[in-house]
Amino acid sequence: MEKLLNDLKKSSKYLQKIGQKNRVNLILEISNQIKKNIKNIIEANLIDLQNAKSLSQAMQNRLKFDENTINLLCKSLEDIANLKEVIGVISDGWEAKSGIKIQKISIPIGNICAIYESRPNVTAEVAALCIKSANGCVLKGGKEARNTNLAIMQSINQAYETLNLPKSVLFLDIDRSEVEKLIKMDEYLDLIVPRGGENLVKFVSQNATVPVLKHDKGVCHIYVDKSADLSKAINICVNAKCSRPSACNAAETVLIHQSIANEFLPLLKAGLNKFDVEIFGCQKVANILPCTLANEASWDREYLDFKLNLKIVENLEEAMEHINLHSSGHSEAIISEDYSSCEQFLSLVDSACVYANASTRFSDGGEFGFGAEVGISTNKLHARGPVGLKELTTYKYIIRGNGEIR
């Protein structure tokens, strides 16, 4: 593994030398090779799905990789290829009092390692984002998607061979004991992005010596205010929970203002019933709807399934207090027709993505116009929310002089 990482460090430097046009062509060729190999990729995914029968239905849906999903992936890769250049961009420049001329210019971070579970599209999307931003890329996918990931990697490797370029994407088919070694290899790696279950993120964060950009769990909230348009609120809440419950941007708790609870809750339950959502409610909710009584641990749980917490709150202040106490810092939303309530919520709720009158499901690199994301960061440094191309760069200062001394 050490030799592979050392070779990658050398070859990834070549990405800057070949220039933007060649990096774009490489990403487009990866998309082309995936389309050519679509049959093999689907067959590999069927093996993974067969081996995943013990997983929840929501997690199996996350793993599924059919023709439509692959076509969407290829469109995502093409979008990434066509994004504007982020390397070599001069963001500032000035002349110091000494006469030296200083420029601040964007450069790649270096070698980026993504450790992830389930979703096979991550393999190609992270590779493309790293290629576009001239970073070396190390991929460690989960065992549940092993066959699909390896089939996608065949397409990526074929693209490099077709264009006769040194490979800057490395897929490591290793076990957990070797992962513990990997996350300590700061001589070869510059950043690790863990995205997956809470246990994975915790393990990497606690054991890595390489800097970590956490894609932490998504305990996302929606607050339905007293002035909310109830029809709009129902559509948003049902979408945020049910359109893809296994996604980290799915809502896990809905908070309801006490003055609308008696009217709103039966309407919401009717919408959730279409998806057989299991409801965990506070005592006040249980007085209105049949549900499982929530306990204190419920408010911190990422279900990733057709399960949802409901809680009645006294006002906006109590809703924000609950969110700031229990949120993982991912995505939160307010549904309200009151402008000042929306602005207060947007200003004071401390999460990476904060919405007014829209579903939390929009927290996604593709939806934000980034093509895709390496992860959705719940850190505050150096990036928050969907991590796209710009967040995969750092900068250096270039100084030009004419004999100046100090």
Side-chain angles (χ1 to χ4, degrees):
M1 184 165 64
E2 190 169 353
K3 183 183 184 306
L4 290 171
L5 291 172
N6 188 41
D7 291 344
L8 178 70
K9 190 170 185 177
K10 294 174 183 176
S11 62
S12 63
K13 293 288 185 184
Y14 191 71
L15 280 175
Q16 280 183 274
K17 293 181 182 178
I18 65 174
Q20 178 187 4
K21 183 177 179 181
N22 286 310
R23 294 198 300 272
V24 167
N25 288 340
L26 176 55
I27 298 169
L28 294 176
E29 184 58 29
I30 291 172
S31 175
N32 181 48
Q33 290 295 335
I34 289 173
K35 290 174 184 175
K36 283 184 178 180
N37 295 329
I38 191 167
K39 183 181 176 183
N40 292 336
I41 294 171
I42 291 173
E43 288 175 355
N45 186 246
L46 289 174
I47 296 171
D48 287 331
L49 287 171
Q50 187 62 37
N51 295 334
K53 295 296 185 182
S54 61
L55 298 179
S56 70
Q57 188 58 53
M59 293 305 290
Q60 290 182 54
N61 290 342
R62 195 172 185 175
L63 178 60
K64 187 177 181 181
F65 211 55
D66 57 18
E67 185 172 352
N68 180 59
T69 314
I70 294 172
N71 287 332
L72 289 173
L73 169 63
C74 292
K75 175 63 168 60
S76 175
L77 299 183
E78 289 154 14
D79 288 343
I80 292 168
N82 291 317
L83 290 171
K84 65 181 181 180
E85 176 66 0
V86 293
I87 298 301
V89 177
I90 299 169
S91 59
D92 204 354
W94 64 95
E95 183 175 329
K97 62 182 180 181
S98 63
I100 59 173
K101 295 177 176 61
I102 305 169
Q103 289 180 325
K104 185 179 181 182
I105 186 167
S106 61
I107 61 171
I109 288 175
N111 278 350
I112 296 173
C113 174
I115 303 175
Y116 53 101
E117 298 172 338
S118 295
R119 295 171 58 194
N121 60 297
V122 173
T123 300
E125 289 177 347
V126 171
L129 286 166
C130 286
I131 291 166
K132 178 74 175 181
S133 56
N135 286 289
C137 177
V138 179
L139 300 168
K140 167 61 182 83
K143 62 182 180 181
E144 69 285 345
R146 179 178 181 271
N147 293 287
T148 316
N149 286 333
L150 290 174
I152 293 170
M153 274 306 303
Q154 286 181 349
S155 297
I156 294 173
N157 290 333
Q158 185 59 51
Y160 278 97
E161 290 171 15
T162 300
L163 297 180
N164 195 28
L165 294 172
K167 293 172 185 174
S168 63
V169 177
L170 173 64
F171 186 88
L172 294 176
D173 191 17
I174 57 178
D175 60 27
R176 181 165 179 151
S177 64
E178 291 179 291
V179 169
E180 192 163 1
K181 295 177 187 176
L182 174 68
I183 62 179
K184 297 180 187 298
M185 290 190 170
D186 42 311
E187 183 180 349
Y188 305 108
L189 299 175
D190 298 284
L191 182 68
I192 293 177
V193 184
R195 53 182 294 180
E198 184 177 0
N199 290 335
L200 168 67
V201 176
K202 186 176 181 180
F203 172 78
V204 173
S205 300
Q206 291 180 348
N207 291 280
T209 58
V210 181
V212 175
L213 188 64
K214 289 192 295 185
H215 178 113
D216 213 342
K217 64 180 181 179
V219 182
C220 304
H221 298 76
I222 297 177
Y223 167 57
V224 183
D225 192 31
K226 62 182 178 181
S227 68
D229 178 319
L230 298 192
S231 176
K232 185 186 296 181
I234 291 164
N235 287 337
I236 290 172
C237 290
V238 172
N239 173 266
K241 175 73 268 183
C242 303
S243 62
R244 193 166 187 179
S246 63
C248 60
N249 55 21
E252 303 292 15
T253 296
V254 174
L255 307 168
I256 305 100
H257 193 285
Q258 61 182 2
S259 67
I260 62 166
N262 285 314
E263 181 182 2
F264 178 71
L265 282 172
L267 296 173
L268 177 60
K269 188 172 190 307
L272 296 172
N273 283 347
K274 297 174 184 177
F275 298 89
D276 294 324
V277 175
E278 183 179 359
I279 294 173
F280 298 83
C282 68
Q283 185 59 60
K284 291 180 180 178
V285 170
N287 294 337
I288 300 172
L289 296 177
C291 64
T292 302
L293 201 61
N295 56 38
E296 196 58 33
S298 302
W299 311 118
D300 298 309
R301 188 164 290 137
E302 184 186 30
Y303 291 113
L304 300 174
D305 206 344
F306 289 103
K307 299 177 181 181
L308 180 67
N309 299 322
L310 299 179
K311 183 178 181 180
I312 295 171
V313 294
E314 186 176 342
N315 50 35
L316 171 62
E317 286 70 26
E318 185 184 347
M320 292 192 295
E321 183 180 345
H322 178 97
I323 291 170
N324 286 331
L325 179 62
H326 295 286
S327 169
S328 61
H330 194 297
S331 301
E332 331 294 344
I334 180 174
I335 316 301
S336 177
E337 298 301 308
D338 184 290
Y339 176 81
S340 72
S341 293
C342 287
E343 292 305 303
Q344 189 176 354
F345 186 92
L346 295 172
S347 175
L348 297 180
V349 170
D350 187 20
S351 290
C353 302
V354 190
Y355 296 83
N357 296 309
S359 171
T360 57
R361 289 280 288 113
F362 285 103
S363 293
D364 175 85
E367 292 291 344
F368 275 31
F370 301 163
E373 83 270 342
V374 170
I376 298 179
S377 171
T378 52
N379 282 10
K380 293 188 178 181
L381 298 174
H382 78 285
R384 294 190 89 184
V387 177
L389 289 175
K390 189 175 181 182
E391 289 73 35
L392 297 183
T393 69
T394 182
Y395 58 84
K396 66 181 178 184
Y397 294 103
I398 291 178
I399 302 98
R400 295 180 174 87
N402 189 28
E404 289 86 358
I405 60 173
R406 183 180 179 186

